[in-house]
Amino acid sequence: MSRLLIVNPYASGVTEELVAHVLAALPSGTEAVRTGGPGDATALAREHEATADAIYVLSGDGTYNEVLNGVGRSVPLGFLPAGGTSVLPRALGLGRDPVTAAHRLARGLVRPIGLGRVNGRRFGFNAGVGFDAEIVRRIDELGRPLDGTRPSDVAFAKAVLGLVASRRASFPPVLELDGGRRAAFVLVANCTPYTYAGAMAIRLSAGASFDLGLDAVAPHSVSALGLPRLAVELVRGARSRRGLTVLHDSAGFEVRCDLP
């Protein structure tokens, strides 16, 4: 049987010693291949999916996403946490330790999960239109150092605060959802929890599940006074109320934007 371990050597937690320990925990004969830059994981997954009985990924969430977009058939995938947060394996119950996760994956238990798709690309646990996407754009503009490591959590916090300050903590409705509902921004969840601040799980949508399709959380508008309350709701798991729409099992919903 042929098994492949795709390693992102630039992920913050990856060392050659860790790769050796992970390989020892995975089924014997697993071959490790290393990425050299963006897009390599997609190409490797596409190249080996026809011959691999399983593909494991030792990296962070960006490389997991590349692999999800590289496979075209039902080859089992295993995600091993080695990035700054590694949300996907934690959301799947594999924990934070890559060697422990490798032992669990070696048992061969397989479960199907739903995926989302936006602009032709798959995503494993979340996507955003508006607020979330703008933060990611600002982080991407910072670039990465030569070693390929991700920006720090401090950089993410600064990006969030900078965006809030630039909008004076006011986000009017600029999007339209199916059915004519208006929203300031949309956060899409494929599971709960889907994000982590250190060891603390943040539950965007109380009803989201890998097994039940996508959930969309869409506040109609956000003001300076309402922002703290919304933040608390998103941490606990949002539920529909006046001014806050939560769409459950809403795969395929459309979002239209008023802005160019």
Side-chain angles (χ1 to χ4, degrees):
M1 298 179 72
S2 171
R3 293 180 173 88
L4 185 73
L5 173 65
I6 296 177
V7 180
N8 177 1
Y10 303 111
S12 56
V14 171
T15 64
E16 287 304 312
E17 181 181 12
L18 176 62
V19 174
H21 286 311
V22 166
L23 283 172
L26 291 174
S28 61
T30 301
E31 176 190 0
V33 292
R34 291 160 178 77
T35 62
D40 282 3
T42 297
L44 286 168
R46 187 171 294 143
E47 176 186 352
H48 291 275
E49 66 167 334
T51 57
D53 297 292
I55 296 177
Y56 309 106
V57 191
L58 180 65
S59 68
D61 290 301
T63 308
Y64 306 146
N65 184 261
E66 286 197 15
V67 171
L68 286 174
N69 282 280
V71 295
R73 70 179 186 93
S74 185
V75 56
L77 302 176
F79 303 105
L80 300 161
T85 11
S86 296
V87 173
L88 184 55
R90 294 169 71 180
L92 289 167
L94 292 171
R96 305 182 70 180
D97 181 73
V99 177
T100 300
H103 280 294
R104 291 174 177 170
L105 293 175
R107 297 171 190 162
L109 299 177
V110 179
R111 62 169 291 192
I113 66 170
L115 298 176
R117 188 186 300 270
V118 59
N119 293 336
R121 286 189 62 82
R122 299 169 181 158
F123 62 88
F125 56 87
N126 85 296
V129 182
F131 187 88
D132 186 40
E134 174 64 15
I135 293 171
V136 172
R137 184 187 67 78
R138 292 183 177 216
I139 291 295
D140 286 345
E141 288 179 348
L142 297 176
R144 294 204 175 195
L146 294 177
D147 62 3
T149 54
R150 67 187 282 275
S152 67
D153 291 338
V154 173
F156 276 89
K158 286 182 177 179
V160 173
L161 293 174
L163 176 57
V164 171
S166 69
R167 303 287 179 85
R168 298 183 180 181
S170 178
F171 297 86
V174 294
L175 304 174
E176 182 180 318
L177 307 179
D178 280 345
R181 284 167 288 198
R182 305 284 292 169
F185 53 85
V186 179
L187 302 173
V188 182
N190 200 27
C191 58
T192 187
Y194 88 70
T195 188
Y196 292 83
M200 183 179 71
I202 298 176
R203 305 177 186 280
L204 176 68
S205 172
S209 167
F210 280 124
D211 306 310
L212 298 176
L214 304 177
D215 277 23
V217 177
H220 176 266
S221 61
V222 182
S223 65
L225 292 176
L227 193 57
R229 178 184 177 184
L230 176 63
V232 170
E233 288 194 55
L234 294 181
V235 168
R236 292 177 175 176
R239 300 179 187 275
S240 290
R241 60 169 174 79
R242 181 180 175 85
L244 180 63
T245 299
V246 180
L247 302 175
H248 294 293
D249 195 14
S250 52
F253 68 89
E254 292 185 0
V255 179
R256 292 168 290 278
C257 184
D258 290 344
L259 299 178

